[in-house]
């Protein structure tokens, strides 16, 4: 889907959201241009606009589950879930959830990690949305999709605020900040609010 078809080409909210995100060079290691969303959270209008754009897209898709990836997916996910009448399910790092869990591993630049979810949090056949703040390699989102699908959910879409140049995608875009694309990694549809690739010349990333 082209951005213009979504009615957001030239939307001034996107520029405001982009400006509200602070870029910190060489953090946490040299070569990283860190996307600091804490400054977005300090800007009431930009924060609200971010949530509103997602809510406008997903409110009529029959989504009953919003799954947020630890930790910054917890910032946006609950607000979106409340607004569209869905439940929020946290996807957490290992050994954070007290009950019986199901887990899914994913590969990092150096080593592996896992996402975990409580067994019984999702019923088979539920329609799910995955939320995170940023996608770089897509590994974490891919793990989230696999985890939800193992529980019988239908993952409708993944949504992130920022996309970095490490994302290997076939972009289906116009000249806009809003992107709707499919991941070459096998993800479902992926909605990216902001394309930050043009401002980066980086050697690596700690984002996922």
């Amino acid at each position: 889907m082209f951005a213009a078809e979504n009615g957001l080409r030239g939307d001034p909210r996107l520029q405001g959201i982009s400006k509200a995100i602070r870029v910190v060079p060489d953090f946490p290691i040299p070569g990283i241009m860190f996307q600091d969303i804490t400054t977005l959270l300090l800007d009431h209008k930009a924060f609200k606009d971010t949530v509103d754009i997602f809510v406008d897209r997903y409110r009529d898709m029959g989504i009953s589950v919003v799954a947020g990836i630890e930790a910054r997916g917890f910032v946006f996910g609950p607000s979106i879930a409340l607004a569209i009448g869905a439940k929020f399910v946290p996807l957490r790092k290992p050994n954070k959830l007290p009950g019986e869990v199901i887990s899914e591993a994913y590969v990092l630049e150096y080593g592996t990690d896992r996402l975990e979810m409580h067994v019984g949090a999702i019923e088979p056949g539920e329609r799910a949305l995955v939320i995170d703040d940023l996608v770089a390699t897509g590994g974490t989102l891919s793990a989230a999709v696999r985890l939800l699908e193992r529980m019988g959910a239908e993952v409708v879409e993944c949504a992130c605020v920022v996309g970095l140049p490490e994302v290997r995608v076939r972009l289906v875009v116009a000249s806009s900040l809003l992107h709707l694309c499919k991941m070459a990694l096998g993800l479902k549809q992926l909605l990216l609010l902001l394309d930050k690739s043009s401002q980066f010349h980086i050697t690596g990333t700690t984002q996922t």
Side-chain angles (χ1 to χ4, degrees):
M1 178 182 296
F2 286 89
E5 295 172 4
N6 232 21
L8 289 173
R9 178 181 293 186
D11 192 319
R13 293 178 298 177
L14 296 176
Q15 184 177 7
I17 293 167
S18 183
K19 288 182 177 179
I21 298 173
R22 175 171 56 188
V23 179
V24 183
D26 299 319
F27 180 84
I29 60 174
I32 301 297
M33 300 291 282
F34 186 82
Q35 300 292 303
D36 181 12
I37 66 160
T38 63
T39 49
L40 171 64
L41 306 181
L42 296 175
D43 185 326
H44 174 267
K45 185 180 186 306
F47 187 18
K48 183 178 185 299
D49 285 345
T50 303
V51 173
D52 285 349
I53 289 172
F54 286 131
V55 169
D56 288 345
R57 175 165 179 79
Y58 297 117
R59 64 159 46 99
D60 296 322
M61 286 192 179
I63 292 168
S64 59
V65 176
V66 175
I69 296 174
E70 186 172 355
R72 291 181 288 269
F74 297 177
V75 174
F76 302 100
S79 296
I80 296 167
L82 283 171
I84 68 174
K87 62 186 175 184
F88 177 76
V89 175
L91 306 182
R92 302 216 60 185
K93 298 295 178 64
N95 305 312
K96 299 289 188 179
L97 294 170
E100 182 183 359
V101 300
I102 180 173
S103 66
E104 184 70 37
Y106 59 96
V107 177
L108 300 169
E109 188 174 1
Y110 302 103
T112 61
D113 207 342
R114 298 196 319 274
L115 287 178
E116 294 186 341
M117 177 177 67
H118 271 139
V119 172
I122 293 176
E123 299 295 327
E126 287 198 276
R127 289 168 59 83
L129 168 68
V130 179
I131 296 287
D132 204 357
D133 71 320
L134 179 146
V135 58
T137 66
T140 312
L141 286 176
S142 296
V145 170
R146 294 194 302 269
L147 190 61
L148 293 165
E149 290 184 338
R150 285 171 56 194
M151 295 295 289
E154 175 190 354
V155 179
V156 176
E157 202 158 272
C158 301
C160 298
V161 179
V162 178
L164 292 183
E166 286 79 6
V167 185
R168 303 294 183 247
V169 297
R170 299 187 303 277
L171 292 178
V172 186
V173 301
S175 55
S176 169
L177 290 174
L178 182 70
H179 295 253
L180 186 62
C181 54
K182 286 189 175 181
M183 301 290 295
L185 294 169
L187 285 182
K188 302 294 183 178
Q189 297 277 30
L190 172 66
L191 179 71
L192 302 178
L193 238 59
L194 303 177
D195 174 22
K196 292 283 191 172
S197 60
S198 62
Q199 71 183 69
F200 289 98
H201 300 280
I202 64 179
T203 58
T205 180
T206 58
Q207 309 291 338
T208 54

